Amino acid sequence: AKVEAGRLRIASAPANVHEVISSAITLIHPQASARNLELVVVTEEESLPPYMGDAERVRQILVNLLSNAVTCTEPGGAITVHATVTTSPDAGARLQPRGAHVRITVKDTGMGIPPEKLMAIFEPFVQADSGPRRSRDGSGLGLTIAQRLARAMGGDLTVESVVGEGSSFHLWLPADPCAVATVPCAEPSPSTNETRRTARRPEALGPLPGLGKVARGLLTELESLVSVIVERIRRDPAMRMAAGLRTSQVTDHLATLLADVAGALIVVEEVEGVPSPLLADGMEIQRLVSERHGAQRARLGWTEAAMRREFMIIREEVEQVVRRSVPTDGPLRMDDALAAVNRFLDQAEYIGVRTLEKGRDH
């Protein structure tokens, strides 16, 4: 009920993939051993970035998936947990447009799920193994809650299955933008008394000729872009609290943020991937605006889910402007332009949500 009402507290912080998998495996290992099942963990240890989410909720999802796999797999079978990072998620996953996602797959060699029941298993009180000969106990809420928790963290839970061969459940989680981004990430200001983040980052962004045209497109359409975003936020059923707000309360310096993102894109093109004080200054401005935005949303009683929905709308409308601004015959690839813009927006969302949670806690 709390998940559906948007009242469930879900953290948004960088977390280690290996640690959460190890924790879940430790809890399930006795059950697997009792049924003579092999547990195999496969991870791309060197290349896996942290994921963004609530480590306790992720463990809860994994424990549920592993418990189901143990129950559905005959003795002597195997359960494999595979973690990887991808920039090309499955088409069936309902994910926000981001540069990368961490995917944790729990695969079993059990009975499999019939095609006609494959999507229904995420509905409340539905189980694939049902009827008078049902061999499992339970309410049929585990997968429902797991999927809704995943989506509340900006990810998703999907499934693939073949009857007689087994099932694979894929938990998708947004990767930490500061660990996969190729633009600088703002560090917390000294006043926050937080430990500076030390996530490993790849090399700086290479030359992107043509990115300035994207920036000029954003600046040219800035007023109309903000108006469209505000109107969508007010009409969105997931953000009913915004319907009665003044325009200035809904926008809350959105124009400032997008204008500074445009300025940062111009700098990225001009410096050709070389670290720049101008870019660092721009990121500091974006950090400050994002912090103030999160604090304002907390004062207005917004939930994390509502704020993530807000950023989804911002990304969708900004993407339309970017697509109109990239020449079809120019040197800049559309994917590169979108990735560059989304990395700034990902960072703004992360800081805003983190500040929102702090404001609600106090």
Side-chain angles (χ1 to χ4, degrees), residues 102-131:
V102 172
R103 183 186 65 199
I104 306 175
T105 298
V106 176
K107 181 178 181 180
D108 64 59
T109 57
M111 65 188 76
I113 304 170
E116 66 273 13
K117 295 185 178 180
L118 203 55
M119 298 314 300
I121 61 173
F122 292 113
E123 296 300 319
F125 310 111
V126 173
Q127 290 189 336
D129 181 15
S130 59

Side-chain angles (χ1 to χ4, degrees), residues 183-184 205 208 210-220 222 225 254-272 274 276-286 318 322 340-341 344-345:
V183 295
L205 190 65
L208 284 177
L211 205 55
K213 290 186 178 180
V214 176
R216 287 186 283 277
L218 283 172
L219 293 173
T220 299
L222 185 59
L225 174 61
L254 174 60
T256 302
L257 174 66
L258 295 179
D260 198 77
V261 168
L265 295 176
I266 293 173
V267 175
V268 168
E269 179 183 32
E270 291 178 346
V271 301
E272 298 184 341
V274 177
S276 165
L278 285 175
L279 189 55
D281 289 345
M283 291 300 299
E284 180 64 17
I285 293 171
Q286 293 169 37
V318 168
V322 173
V341 173
F344 287 108
L345 295 179

Side-chain angles (χ1 to χ4, degrees), residues 314-333:
I314 292 172
R315 283 192 193 85
E316 290 175 351
E317 294 303 326
V318 168
E319 178 178 339
Q320 297 306 311
V321 177
V322 173
R323 291 189 178 279
R324 290 193 292 269
S325 304
V326 178
T328 55
D329 57 349
L332 182 64
R333 295 175 60 247

Side-chain angles (χ1 to χ4, degrees), residues 11-15 50-54 98 153 173-177 197 308 350:
S12 178
Y51 65 85
M52 293 300 302
D54 188 318
R98 293 176 181 267
M153 290 184 284
L173 297 165
D176 178 8
R197 301 185 59 202
R308 290 197 181 281
Y350 164 66

Side-chain angles (χ1 to χ4, degrees), residues 226-237 239 309 312-317:
V226 172
S227 296
V228 171
I229 291 171
V230 168
E231 200 58 35
R232 283 194 60 185
I233 290 174
R234 280 182 167 154
R235 295 199 312 265
D236 198 289
M239 291 177 284
R309 174 62 183 165
M312 181 185 291
I313 290 173
I314 292 172
R315 283 192 193 85
E316 290 175 351
E317 294 303 326

